[in-house]
């Protein structure tokens, strides 16, 4: 059991940490400006102010007019204003949209908690942050109001519970149950999420980017409590007598909210804090004034609402006039450590004073007074103020012990420590102390230690998150400052670190080389696999990136030296061009000042400044003491052995002497200037890091050495010192340096000048030399050189320097000298102060011209060449150079431009001096072949040479034509590997693919819009169809009620005329009362049905226009007693009959005679006009049902086609996009196939040689390899150009493409199945509705036909001359009607049996109980006038066998009465008549038929039994239909929500990540092309054309 508990705790802790991480990321995304905070606060204030003015309690103000105006204004800021008394569907759509936000937010949080890495996680975190920001601000009240509003119900006039905001929605019936249960679950989940997040969305520090950041969360959470309790009180106490409870709850919660805001100050931003204090105060003030008005208005006070309006501005002024922080500094000194809350509040206030006292004089006075009082009241021996005061007296020059800010922070630290000592169990105090240590004292390790102690004290959920958040902040800080922290140890053991970094770099270079070799070997395969090539290319790029990061790391940590640079140079030559070496040669000192600060902050000053040997530093190190006096030079305090070895001095020669002894004169001036500038600056800190610079140092032999210095100035108690670390550059190329002043006077030279220029420092000291003597016109043209370039090519003749260098060679030899001119300057008053110049000279050896065909680089750049004849530097093509000039220590790869063939012999138009040089170097150049031809001696030219020249000329022409095709911009732009990378980065995603993405997005949006339209249309159609069925049933019920009233009128007429003898004998006058009561009840039922019909607004399509015209045409003739008539529409005719029925209902019994106009009007027109045209109304209302079904049928066909087409188009275009993207990737990789096989072999060979070089590290072998490569390169390149290219085969496959296709197929099938389900479910609904509509019609219509038969027979027996169904006493018509009704009765049974599968079990049971079993139970339950005995004994217990038998008896009785009437004989004497009711022979006969048992049974059957049974059947049938369509609407809503969630997840978690991955994949594949060396790129026309084609795809 214990083991299971531990596993559960571990499991919960794991996901809790993951949840904390998500919330932490969400908090980091909360960047809310002050303007947004003010706007949200204003909206929330108006939402909160709406509660005292809600309709339930607004009457408490006793000023109904003004309160109504305020309520209407405030309602504009609530969403319910748009939903009150609107359609239920609109309310449900808005409600489920709010619920979807809740569910989506919760689901995403759960997913991120369980699955730590998701596609596009940053977008999801941003969405969660913004959604929670909405929910916890303006969205909370509105979402809660929508959810509570759906549950808020009240009884109407009839006692039926209906929604307060939707008067047409009945509560707790039908589909309301499903929605209500869903709302309750969502409501509980919503409140739970908000309460949890309100405990976590706090920040321990003032986040300047988020003005809504809070120091504690409990205070703001009371706004949620106020809203929840206010709405719950409305829900629970709806009656006016409980209004005092609602008002009291609002006053209590608003007071607690105001108290917390006023005294706890939860917000960091003072403006936001003041706003929320005003909001909470005004809300409480409003609720309090309402309570006062409710209790004392019109008793003690008058016009309390007007008083509220007047006092609101005064309340704001009072609340805004309070002080921001009410902290008593005297109390802090005298009454310390009263509680942990006071300690935290006091310390935070003191920190704020310490950070801002310099800008505020009053705060400065407070700090000084506090320090003075604390010094006098502090009794502790280790008081921070006393300790610093003693140290300040001891070290007067150190400002550290007199700095009020530092002393103040040490004092705050002491307050925290004493508080923790007094309250060791306080978790909040330790958390705040840890943040103080991190933020103010930069002591992350101690802060982490305090957090670990707090974690052991069993913190609550919110405190656990604070600890996690603080740890996360410390972790990020540690990672950010890892360089600085690690450099503490690095500064002590720099040798080991350099070796480690170099080994790391070498290992990364080795890995990258092997991966590069594997990449190029894949291209040498017979059929290269482009997929593998792409993967290998990404690995290569990753390795290159790691190498660059390692180089950057070495630069930042000052471990980048000559060997590292040489290794990178060789890697760039043989494997991959890393980048511009100038960027790597100059170490970036401007990384981060705080990171470099770590390099020197923790150094042992005694170790640096003492006289010990700094042997721990392998690089040269110099420690200088600086002086603020201009006349005092910096003194060398300490050096290490590396410095002595570099400069040739001993320690005694340097230590204690001026730095001028080591620095070149101009650089010594520069150093002194920098020192004086440092002392003159106002902002002197304890440690100043200076930018790195190159400086010339003098050796003991007086030669200069160029070194790079990284220096920092350190203030100590013993003085100001400068720490210099030197880095020298060793080069295998022959460089020389010349330093001269502005007049050209040479001051210093390097030792290499002896070998290049034959200059010696001893000769130079004897005779001053000017730079013009070596390089004429250099100073006169220096401005041109500085502005245009730094490379100059000069023809240096050694013979001209004989007089200056007598030891030089007497032979007249020429060397080309490439030199680089630089000036040494500093900025002074925005002007450059030049101290001098230095010249970097390099010797470039001549190579003899080879007569074999060579490849020459077409120079596109210009260079200066010194012309001896013109004695000037001329800008022209440096065609004589075979190697490019390299500056500084740069291993420069010469950019290969477009190449052409040169003839074997030089053109005659070449420069004569160049021809002469060439002829002098070629043996036998003057030998000619002469022949005697036709008496003349002529020179013979060999044909082979001419043919060869012609062939070379043709090849030259062909290649020149081919070069025209190449993109000129490409050749001009791509000179280095970096240019190539930039060129590839500028190639954007293809336009066709971007348009496909746009088209897919439009189709997805269209599909979502179609789904919304389908949902809304189906939902509205279901509601309309349910209403249409109710209208059809109500129309039949209206006609049945008219006939029922007619039956009552006939019975009352019989009572008035004493014809109803049989019933009168049974129950006497009660029979009259029963008929009057039945008349009243039926009239009410008629009015209810008629109101439902007249209030409906039907939309019937044009297919049923005939029925509409008939219904709207006034074709019904309503006859009066005088036989006059008026034409009415059917609805108007019914209104006329209702008016007459109301009159008769209020009349006496004597009025029920045929001579009464109202009685005659109702009886006659009911039998003739209404009965004749009843089909018009029936067709009209049932055509509405069929119209809805027809519209639904058309709609579902159209939208199913649209949705299916949209899904198919999305699937098709997604497949097209996927295929096109893969084709695009394949086309990118196929560019490598354009590289010739020999070039591939050459690249592979170079990489292998580089790997061999890494193992041997023999520079001679490498140089020999370079020589061999240069000798064979031209021949191989010639073969490369002359060889015809062949299209290579390749294969390309992608596993990710198959996975994406599976996803697309699955999502497409999912969407398609959703629309298919909607289509087929709609089809099923239509088919079932077509089956049920006739059943509804017959069930509601057939009772009126039973009643019509009975009333017609009775009217025929009463008056043989009566017009019935527009015919005069037609026996045949009566028999026909009886047969028709019998057919309807049979059809009713057939339809019930036919639809048994779709009818509910309750309806089938009810129908069987009524028609087959005994209906007495149902009749007794719904009619209190019928007893069980009377029902069971009716008509010889006929009802025991069911209503079907009774109806058969009904028809038999009707036929018998008609038959008896038919057999009447005027001449016969009927002596067996029971009653003598009339002197008229025939009437007496017919009246006796009226009083027979059969007539009485039929009357009771149609008035009571059939009526009640069919009313119950119809009610159950309508309930089934309502439940069915309500369930369909709920099911449709649920499916639509699921569809929306799936659509959102699919779009944001599948589609958008796929697009992002595709863009990234395309960019990576393009970056893979940067692996191609630039020299091969510029030589291969096909690759250039390929790149041009790729770029054209994006235009």
């Amino acid at each position: 059991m214990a083991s299971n508990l531990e596993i559960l705790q571990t499991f919960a802790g794991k996901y809790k940490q993951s949840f904390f991480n998500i919330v932490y990321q969400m908090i980091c995304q909360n960047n809310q400006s002050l303007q947004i905070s003010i706007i949200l606060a204003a909206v929330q204030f108006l939402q909160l102010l709406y509660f005292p003015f809600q309709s339930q309690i607004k009457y408490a103000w006793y000023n109904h007019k003004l309160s109504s105006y305020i309520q209407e204004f405030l309602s504009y800021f609530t969403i319910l204003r748009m939903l009150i008394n609107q359609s239920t569907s609109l309310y449900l759509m808005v409600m489920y949209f709010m619920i979807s936000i809740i569910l989506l937010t919760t689901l995403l949080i759960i997913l991120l908690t369980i699955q730590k890495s998701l596609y596009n996680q940053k977008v999801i975190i941003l969405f969660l942050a913004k959604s929670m920001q909405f929910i916890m601000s303006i969205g909370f009240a509105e979402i809660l109001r929508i959810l509570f509003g759906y549950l808020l119900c009240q009884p109407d006039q009839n006692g039926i519970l209906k929604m307060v905001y939707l008067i047409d929605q009945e509560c707790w019936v039908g589909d309301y149950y499903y929605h209500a249960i869903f709302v309750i679950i969502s409501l509980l989940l919503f409140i739970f999420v908000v309460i949890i997040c309100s405990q976590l969305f706090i920040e321990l520090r003032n986040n300047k980017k988020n003005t809504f950041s809070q120091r504690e969360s409990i205070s703001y959470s009371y706004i949620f409590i106020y809203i929840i309790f206010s709405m719950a009180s409305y829900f629970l106490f709806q009656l006016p007598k409980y209004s005092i409870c609602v008002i009291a709850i609002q006053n209590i919660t608003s007071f607690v909210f105001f108290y917390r805001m006023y005294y706890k100050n939860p917000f960091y931003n003072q403006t936001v804090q003041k706003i929320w204090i005003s909001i909470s105060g005004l809300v409480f003030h409003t609720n309090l004034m309402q309570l006062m008005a409710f209790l004392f208005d019109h008793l003690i006070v008058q016009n309390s609402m007007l008083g509220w309006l007047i006092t609101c501005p005064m309340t704001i002024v009072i609340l805004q006039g309070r002080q921001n922080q009410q902290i008593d500094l005297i109390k802090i000194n005298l009454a310390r450590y009263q509680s942990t809350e006071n300690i935290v509040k006091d310390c935070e206030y003191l920190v704020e004073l310490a950070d801002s006292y310099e800008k505020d004089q009053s705060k400065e006075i407070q700090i000084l007074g506090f320090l003075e009082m604390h010094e006098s009241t502090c009794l502790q021996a280790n008081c921070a103020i006393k300790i610093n005061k003693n140290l300040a007296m001891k070290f007067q020059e150190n400002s550290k012990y007199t700095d009020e800010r530092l002393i103040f922070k040490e004092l705050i630290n002491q307050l925290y420590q004493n508080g923790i000592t007094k309250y060791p169990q306080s978790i909040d105090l330790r958390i705040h102390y840890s943040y103080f240590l991190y933020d103010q004292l930069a002591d992350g390790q101690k802060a982490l230690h305090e957090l670990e102690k707090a974690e052991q004290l069993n913190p609550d959920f919110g405190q656990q998150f604070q600890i996690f958040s603080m740890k996360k902040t410390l972790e990020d800080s540690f990672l950010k400052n890892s360089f600085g922290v690690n450099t503490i140890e690095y500064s002590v053991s720099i040798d080991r670190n350099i070796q480690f970094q170099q080994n790391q770099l070498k290992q990364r270079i080795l890995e990258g080389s092997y991966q590069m070799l594997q990449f190029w070997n894949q291209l040498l395969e017979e059929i290269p696999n482009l997929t593998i090539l792409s993967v290998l290319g990404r690995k290569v790029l990753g390795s290159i990136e790691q190498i660059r990061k390692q180089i950057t790391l070495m630069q930042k940590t000052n471990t980048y030296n000559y060997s590292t640079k040489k290794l990178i140079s060789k890697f760039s030559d043989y494997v991959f061009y890393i980048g511009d070496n100038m960027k790597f040669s100059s170490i970036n000192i401007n990384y981060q000042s705080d990171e470099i600060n770590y390099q020197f902050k923790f150094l042992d000053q005694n170790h640096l400044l003492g006289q010990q040997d700094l042997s721990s530093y392998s690089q040269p190190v110099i420690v200088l003491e600086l002086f603020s006096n201009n006349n005092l030079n910096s003194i060398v305090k300490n050096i290490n052995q590396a410095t002595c070895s570099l400069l040739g001095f001993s320690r005694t020669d340097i230590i204690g002497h001026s730095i001028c002894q080591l620095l070149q004169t101009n650089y010594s001036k520069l150093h002194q200037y920098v020192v004086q500038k440092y002392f003159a600056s106002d902002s002197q800190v304890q440690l100043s890091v200076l930018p790195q610079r190159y400086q010339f140092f003098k050796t003991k032999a007086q030669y200069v050495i160029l070194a790079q210095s990284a220096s920092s100035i350190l203030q100590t108690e013993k003085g100001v010192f400068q720490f210099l670390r030197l880095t020298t550059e060793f080069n295998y190329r022959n460089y020389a340096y010349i330093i001269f002043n502005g007049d050209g006077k040479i001051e210093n030279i390097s030792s290499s000048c002896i070998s290049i220029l034959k200059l010696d420092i001893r000769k130079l000291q004897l005779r001053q030399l000017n730079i013009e003597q070596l390089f004429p016109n250099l100073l006169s043209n220096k401005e041109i050189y500085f502005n245009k370039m730094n490379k100059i090519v000069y023809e240096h003749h050694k013979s001209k320097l004989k007089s200056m260098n007598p030891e030089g060679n007497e032979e007249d030899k020429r060397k080309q000298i490439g030199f680089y001119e630089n000036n040494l300057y500093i900025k002074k008053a925005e002007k450059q102060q030049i101290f001098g110049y230095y010249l970097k000279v390099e010797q470039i050896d001549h190579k003899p011209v080879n007569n074999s065909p060579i490849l020459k680089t077409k120079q596109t750049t210009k260079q200066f060449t010194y012309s001896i004849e013109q004695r000037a530097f001329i800008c022209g093509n440096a065609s004589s150079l075979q190697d490019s000039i390299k500056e500084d220590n740069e291993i420069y790869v010469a950019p290969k431009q477009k190449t052409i063939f040169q003839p074997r012999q030089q053109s005659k138009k070449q420069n004569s001096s160049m021809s002469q040089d060439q002829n002098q170097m070629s043996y036998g150049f003057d030998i000619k072949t002469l022949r005697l031809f036709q008496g003349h001696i002529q020179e013979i030219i060999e044909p082979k040479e001419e043919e060869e020249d012609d062939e070379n000329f043709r090849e030259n022409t062909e290649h020149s034509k081919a070069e025209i095709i190449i993109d000129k911009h490409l050749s001009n732009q791509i000179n280095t590997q970096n240019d190539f990378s930039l060129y590839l980065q500028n190639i954007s995603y293809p336009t066709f693919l971007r348009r496909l993405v746009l088209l897919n997005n439009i189709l997805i949006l269209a599909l979502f819009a179609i789904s919304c339209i389908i949902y809304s249309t189906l939902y509205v159609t279901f509601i309309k169809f349910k209403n249409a069925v109710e209208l059809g049933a109500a129309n039949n019920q209206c006609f049945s009620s008219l006939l029922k009233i007619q039956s009552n009128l006939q019975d009352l007429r019989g009572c008035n005329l004493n014809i109803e003898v049989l019933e009168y004998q049974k129950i006497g006058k009660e029979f009259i009362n029963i008929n009057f009561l039945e008349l009243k009840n039926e009239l009410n039922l008629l009015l209810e049905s008629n109101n439902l019909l007249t209030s409906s607004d039907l939309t019937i399509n044009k297919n049923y226009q005939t029925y509409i015209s008939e219904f709207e045409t006034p074709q019904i003739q309503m006859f009066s007693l005088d036989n006059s008539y008026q034409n009415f529409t059917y609805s108007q005719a019914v209104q006329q009959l209702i008016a007459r029925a109301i009159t008769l209902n209020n009349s006496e019994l004597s009025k029920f005679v045929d001579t009464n106009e109202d009685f005659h009007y109702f009886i006659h027109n009911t039998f003739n006009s209404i009965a004749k045209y009843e089909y018009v109304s029936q067709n009209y209302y049932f055509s509405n049902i069929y119209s809805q079904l027809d519209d639904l049928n058309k709609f579902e066909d159209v939208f199913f086609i649209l949705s299916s087409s949209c899904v198919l188009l999305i699937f098709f275009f997604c497949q097209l996009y996927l295929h096109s993207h893969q084709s695009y990737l394949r086309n990118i990789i196929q560019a490598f196939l354009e590289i010739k096989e020999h070039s591939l072999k050459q690249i592979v060979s170079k990489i292998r040689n580089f790997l061999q070089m890494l193992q041997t590290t023999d520079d001679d072998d490498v140089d020999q390899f370079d020589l061999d490569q240069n000798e064979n390169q031209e021949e191989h390149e010639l073969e490369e150009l002359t060889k015809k290219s062949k299209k290579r085969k390749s294969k390309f496959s992608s596993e990710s493409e198959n996975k994406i296709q599976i996803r697309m197929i699955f999502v497409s099938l999912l969407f398609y199945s959703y629309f298919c389900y909607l289509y087929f479910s709609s089809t099923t609904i239509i088919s079932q509705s077509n089956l049920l509509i006739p059943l509804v019609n017959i069930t509601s219509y057939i009772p009126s036909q039973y009643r019509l038969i009975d009333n017609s027979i009775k009217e025929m027996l009463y008056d043989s001359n009566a017009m019935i169904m527009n015919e005069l006493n037609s026996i045949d018509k009566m028999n026909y009607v009886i047969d028709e009704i019998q057919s309807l009765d049979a059809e009713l049974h057939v339809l019930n049996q036919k639809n048994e599968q779709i009818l509910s079990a309750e309806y089938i049971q009810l129908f069987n109980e009524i028609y087959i079993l005994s209906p007495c139970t149902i009749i007794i339950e719904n009619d209190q006038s019928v007893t069980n005995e009377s029902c069971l004994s009716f008509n010889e217990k006929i009802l025991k066998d069911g209503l079907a038998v009774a109806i058969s008896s009904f028809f038999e009785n009707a036929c018998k009465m008609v038959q008896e009437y038919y057999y009447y004989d005027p001449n016969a004497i009927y002596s067996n008549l029971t009653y003598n009711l009339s002197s008229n022979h025939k009437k007496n006969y017919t009246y006796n038929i009226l009083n027979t048992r059969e007539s009485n049974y039929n009357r009771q059957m149609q008035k009571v039994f059939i009526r009640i049974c069919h009313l119950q059947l119809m009610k159950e049938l309508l309930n089934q239909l309502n439940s069915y369509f309500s369930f369909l609407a709920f099911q449709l809503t649920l499916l639509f929500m699921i569809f929306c969630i799936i659509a959102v997840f699919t779009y944001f978690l599948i589609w958008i990540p796929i697009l992002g991955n595709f863009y990234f994949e395309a960019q990576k594949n393009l970056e893979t092309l940067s692996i191609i060396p630039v020299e091969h790129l510029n030589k291969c026309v096909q690759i250039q054309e390929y790149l041009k084609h790729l770029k054209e795809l994006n235009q």
Side-chain angles (χ1 to χ4, degrees), residues 1356-1357 1371 1375 1455-1470 1481-1482 1485-1486 1489:
M1356 181 182 65
L1357 294 176
I1371 301 298
N1375 290 327
C1455 292
K1456 183 178 179 181
M1457 287 187 291
V1458 172
Q1459 188 177 7
E1460 288 179 355
Y1461 177 79
Y1462 177 75
Y1463 288 119
Y1464 168 72
D1465 186 2
N1467 299 320
I1469 298 174
Y1470 297 100
H1481 184 269
K1482 186 175 183 179
Y1485 177 80
T1486 57
I1489 297 174

Side-chain angles (χ1 to χ4, degrees), residues 1199-1222:
F1199 278 90
F1200 178 71
I1201 293 172
L1202 286 177
S1203 58
S1204 301
S1205 302
C1206 198
V1207 171
L1208 291 176
L1209 286 175
I1210 290 174
F1211 179 75
F1212 171 74
F1213 284 116
C1214 285
Q1215 292 294 325
L1216 179 61
Y1217 171 70
L1218 180 61
H1219 177 73
S1220 301
H1221 173 75
Q1222 296 297 329

Side-chain angles (χ1 to χ4, degrees), residues 2 27 97 144 214 401 468 547 583 663 713 767 846 879 1096 1147 1196 1393 1434:
I27 293 176
F97 175 74
L144 208 63
Q214 306 170 46
Y401 305 113
F468 174 84
I547 293 172
K583 179 179 68 175
L663 286 175
I713 298 178
R767 181 177 179 180
H846 246 317
S879 58
S1096 61
S1147 301
E1196 68 176 3
Q1393 186 176 5
F1434 175 76

Side-chain angles (χ1 to χ4, degrees), residues 34 45 103 132 156 265 408 416 717 767 781 798 1483:
L34 181 61
F45 167 66
L103 295 180
M132 290 306 303
D156 61 358
N265 299 308
F408 215 57
Y416 268 121
E717 299 175 0
R767 181 177 179 180
N781 298 323
K798 293 183 180 178
K1483 286 188 176 182

Side-chain angles (χ1 to χ4, degrees), residues 27 30-33 37 201-217 220 265-270 272-273 276:
I27 293 176
N30 284 337
N31 299 329
Q32 186 170 303
S33 63
S37 299
F201 277 78
I202 58 176
E203 299 185 39
L204 292 174
R205 55 181 173 179
N206 185 7
N207 187 359
K208 300 297 180 62
K209 296 181 180 179
N210 182 20
T211 57
F212 202 71
S213 59
Q214 306 170 46
R215 56 172 56 90
E216 57 96 10
S217 61
Y220 183 75
N265 299 308
F267 296 99
Y268 286 105
N269 189 282
Q270 292 301 316
V272 176
Q273 178 63 43
W276 276 102

